[in-house]
Amino acid sequence: MAATIKTRGFSEDLWDKFDGVVKKVDNGKVFTNLMSKFLLKQQQIESLYSKSMIKLCKDKSFAPDMEIGTIRDSWQIYRDQVEAISVLHEEFSNKLEKIIVSGIDSYLEDSRKQRKGLVAAGEKLTKDLKAAENNESKAKINYDKLKKKQEEAHEELSKQPPGAKEQKARKNLESATKAADKADNEYRDSVKVLQQNQSKFYHDEMPKILDDLQRFEVDRIDRTKDWLLDVINNAETMPAQISTHNENIKKSIESIDRDKDIQSFILEKMSGAQKPPEAQYEPYQPSNHLTTFSMVMSPSSSPIQHGVDMNSLTSSQQLSQQQLAQQQISQQQLAQQQRRSLNSSSSSTHSGNDPLPGLPPKPASAMNMQSNDETVRALYDYNATEENELSFKSTNVIKVIMRDESGWWQGSVVGGDGKIGMFPSNFVESTDSQKKKVDVSGGKCKVLYDYHSDCEGELEIREGETLTIEYEDEGWFYGSNEKGSAGRFPSNYVQLIKV
């Protein structure tokens, strides 16, 4: 009996990979746009061909009036048949236009708001969780600090003989106790807020968002398959001479398996990590030589509170109480260490939800070009839009000939046709494995060019502004301007400020 293959899902297996899921959805939108543009070009070519051929066949200047007999009849039949084939091309062009306009382009417009809404909601949950984790951590540090001061004030009071110094030490203890109690309440409140955000992120709202994004991708893949099948099914109505090629295309389209694509993506991205445990209140941990004091002062562990007089305990009983406290401390420290390790792991995988990087402005001239002799590897496909540009595919190795400070370089594809052209430098990365990435976190940069955002989550920047960078991800920076607005922006539109 064949083993049952587990069907994996975004919410269960990619709960800690929200940024990766967003990138998958963004890449799906980019792919669908490219497919629409390709089919539009195909439709325009079909339309131009059919109209030109029909016009040619109807041109009476090519009528065989000077000829007679069977050769004239044969020529007329030829022209009629060519016109009939041209009409088939015209009909196919009209059907192709309907698929593009009513199908693909309509879907892209209708799904845009839904996709942006899901991504924005997920980004807010991620931001809120991170803020709650930071607040809880700060509150815990402050709580520990003030409890320590309270402990020291109590010890100082015990050393003072009756008199003025004793009264001063007692006031210091009272002040330290009030501050410690306030810090305790703030720490407890921060833990509750963190628990609420963890519940939203791990159990309630984020799983729903991830499930919706998976359904979004399933629907997009199903629609893509239907669109392509519609194209090829309409093409099959054309003459038999092209049916063999259409059959091969149809077979390849039939092989599209949405479930296989989804599962392959999940297996590639999933970390296998377990969800972190729920945050717990962690009481103050006293130093070893003041354990007895801590047990007396702590409302949750005081023997007096439970009707036990510490003075009446034997030495062995006091030692047992201390050992129990030490055991509780060790367990709490271990839980704290595991939780912070998971939080650190989660934050270290954070990345921007970025589409392809924006193209840098073209250089005004070649005067700023600098000679270079290195190779780079393409991160994305790039299709040239001008004759002097270089087209390439992702993973192609490119030999760099010249660099320009605008961000456009000159080079040729290694193993290609030898063409030399310009290409955007933020579509490639260096092949030098020893090259280290510069840590820009917390750094400053100056805007070189205006950038107008067209997508939620992006920051509109203007030339001359100074920005603060939080992190970098594949050609994009995430940061904020001096007005406090935050978002992502292309890294090649700014220049780092050296401190």
Side-chain angles (χ1 to χ4, degrees):
M1 183 176 179
T4 303
I5 300 176
K6 179 183 177 181
T7 300
R8 302 185 182 277
F10 285 5
S11 61
E12 287 297 321
D13 299 290
L14 298 178
W15 61 268
D16 57 342
K17 298 291 182 183
F18 175 73
D19 292 334
V21 171
V22 170
K23 191 168 186 178
K24 174 69 169 67
V25 174
D26 286 343
N27 287 341
K29 179 196 70 173
V30 173
F31 168 81
T32 305
N33 269 314
L34 291 176
M35 183 180 71
S36 176
K37 291 179 180 179
F38 178 92
L39 293 177
L40 180 60
K41 287 285 186 182
Q42 182 183 359
Q43 183 270 330
Q44 291 171 346
I45 292 172
E46 288 284 352
S47 178
L48 179 61
Y49 169 77
S50 62
K51 290 177 180 179
S52 299
M53 289 303 298
I54 291 173
K55 182 178 180 180
L56 175 64
C57 293
K58 290 184 177 295
D59 190 343
K60 294 187 180 296
S61 63
F62 293 103
D65 294 336
M66 76 293 297
E67 193 57 85
I68 61 172
T70 58
I71 191 170
R72 182 190 63 187
D73 295 341
S74 177
W75 176 244
Q76 184 60 48
I77 291 173
Y78 176 83
R79 291 171 62 241
D80 290 343
Q81 292 303 306
V82 169
E83 182 178 352
I85 293 174
S86 301
V87 170
L88 290 176
H89 281 279
E90 184 178 33
E91 292 174 353
F92 174 65
S93 171
N94 294 335
K95 292 175 181 178
L96 194 56
E97 183 179 18
K98 184 178 179 181
I99 292 172
I100 297 168
V101 176
S102 302
I104 304 175
D105 291 349
S106 177
Y107 165 78
L108 287 171
E109 179 61 27
D110 293 342
S111 63
R112 181 174 61 84
K113 290 184 178 179
Q114 181 187 1
R115 183 184 70 255
K116 284 189 174 183
L118 290 172
V119 172
E123 288 177 342
K124 185 179 184 302
L125 286 174
T126 302
K127 182 179 180 181
D128 290 347
L129 177 62
K130 186 176 180 181
E133 289 172 344
N134 290 336
N135 289 337
E136 185 267 351
S137 177
K138 291 177 180 178
K140 179 64 170 65
I141 292 172
N142 187 51
Y143 166 68
D144 287 343
K145 176 183 176 181
L146 294 179
K147 287 294 287 185
K148 180 67 175 178
K149 287 185 177 181
Q150 180 191 19
E151 183 182 76
E152 292 172 348
H154 186 275
E155 184 178 10
E156 181 66 23
L157 175 60
S158 65
K159 295 178 181 179
Q160 300 300 325
K165 290 186 177 181
E166 179 193 23
Q167 293 299 320
K168 182 178 180 181
R170 189 175 300 281
K171 288 184 179 180
N172 289 339
L173 176 59
E174 291 175 356
S175 177
T177 301
K178 288 181 181 179
D181 290 343
K182 181 180 178 182
D184 183 26
N185 291 331
E186 291 176 349
Y187 174 43
R188 290 175 185 272
D189 291 342
S190 69
V191 171
K192 290 180 182 178
V193 173
L194 177 56
Q195 289 173 342
Q196 293 171 358
N197 280 277
Q198 285 178 327
S199 179
K200 289 181 182 179
F201 191 90
Y202 298 122
H203 306 294
D204 301 330
E205 298 181 18
M206 182 59 85
K208 293 179 182 178
I209 292 174
L210 290 172
D211 285 339
D212 287 342
L213 288 173
Q214 181 168 352
R215 284 191 289 271
F216 192 89
E217 273 298 275
V218 166
D219 179 59
R220 184 187 66 81
I221 294 174
D222 283 345
R223 287 174 181 268
T224 300
K225 184 174 181 178
D226 292 340
W227 293 326
L228 293 175
L229 283 175
D230 283 346
V231 171
I232 205 61
N233 286 335
N234 283 310
E236 283 185 337
T237 62
M238 292 165 52
Q241 289 86 335
I242 62 173
S243 293
T244 300
H245 300 292
N246 287 338
E247 188 62 27
N248 292 335
I249 297 173
K250 183 179 180 180
K251 287 179 180 178
S252 67
I253 297 172
E254 291 284 5
S255 66
I256 294 176
D257 187 337
R258 69 146 194 253
D259 293 331
K260 184 178 180 181
D261 289 351
I262 292 291
Q263 295 307 307
S264 297
F265 169 69
I266 293 174
L267 287 172
E268 178 185 352
K269 294 294 183 181
M270 65 182 288
S271 66
Q274 297 297 319
K275 295 180 180 179
E278 182 179 75
Q280 300 295 328
Y281 171 76
E282 298 173 14
Y284 171 71
Q285 311 303 329
S287 55
N288 291 340
H289 69 285
L290 294 175
T291 301
T292 304
F293 160 74
S294 176
M295 293 171 62
V296 172
M297 295 302 295
S298 174
S300 63
S301 62
S302 173
I304 296 175
Q305 193 178 45
H306 298 285
V308 179
D309 185 358
M310 283 297 294
N311 295 326
S312 67
L313 295 178
T314 64
S315 298
S316 61
Q317 287 174 327
Q318 291 181 3
L319 179 60
S320 176
Q321 290 285 346
Q322 293 176 358
Q323 289 173 340
L324 177 60
Q326 290 297 324
Q327 183 180 8
Q328 292 173 340
I329 291 170
S330 299
Q331 292 173 346
Q332 292 159 352
Q333 288 175 336
L334 177 59
Q336 181 185 17
Q337 182 180 7
Q338 291 173 338
R339 174 170 58 78
R340 289 179 177 172
S341 175
L342 283 170
N343 289 343
S344 175
S345 174
S346 173
S347 64
S348 65
T349 58
H350 176 78
S351 62
N353 314 318
D354 305 322
L356 292 177
L359 294 178
K362 291 291 184 64
S365 67
M367 295 302 293
N368 294 326
M369 299 287 281
Q370 299 179 357
S371 298
N372 196 56
D373 188 14
E374 65 167 318
T375 57
V376 294
R377 187 179 303 279
L379 295 171
Y380 320 98
D381 294 353
Y382 180 72
N383 296 318
T385 57
E386 298 182 9
E387 290 186 3
N388 67 335
E389 292 181 5
L390 183 68
S391 296
F392 50 79
K393 299 290 185 182
S394 64
T395 74
N396 278 165
V397 176
I398 303 170
K399 182 179 180 182
V400 181
I401 299 174
M402 301 286 281
R403 287 187 178 203
D404 187 84
E405 62 184 14
S406 67
W408 286 85
W409 296 354
Q410 186 183 65
S412 61
V413 176
V414 176
D417 57 7
K419 178 181 176 179
I420 297 175
M422 304 288 289
F423 63 92
S425 61
N426 56 334
F427 273 56
V428 301
E429 66 176 354
S430 174
T431 57
D432 183 1
S433 61
Q434 302 301 318
K435 185 173 182 179
K436 296 183 178 179
K437 185 175 180 180
V438 177
D439 182 9
V440 297
S441 178
K444 300 283 188 178
C445 63
K446 183 177 182 181
V447 179
L448 299 176
Y449 319 101
D450 290 352
Y451 177 73
H452 302 287
S453 61
D454 59 358
C455 183
E456 188 170 343
E458 294 182 359
L459 179 65
E460 185 164 312
I461 59 178
R462 296 190 178 280
E463 180 181 353
E465 276 190 304
T466 299
L467 310 176
T468 301
I469 305 170
E470 291 188 20
Y471 59 84
E472 178 183 11
D473 181 42
E474 296 184 0
W476 291 79
F477 286 157
Y478 184 92
S480 58
N481 59 24
E482 295 176 345
K483 297 180 180 178
S485 300
R488 57 194 180 201
F489 51 91
S491 59
N492 57 331
Y493 275 57
V494 300
Q495 182 178 46
L496 293 176
I497 300 175
K498 295 182 180 180
V499 181

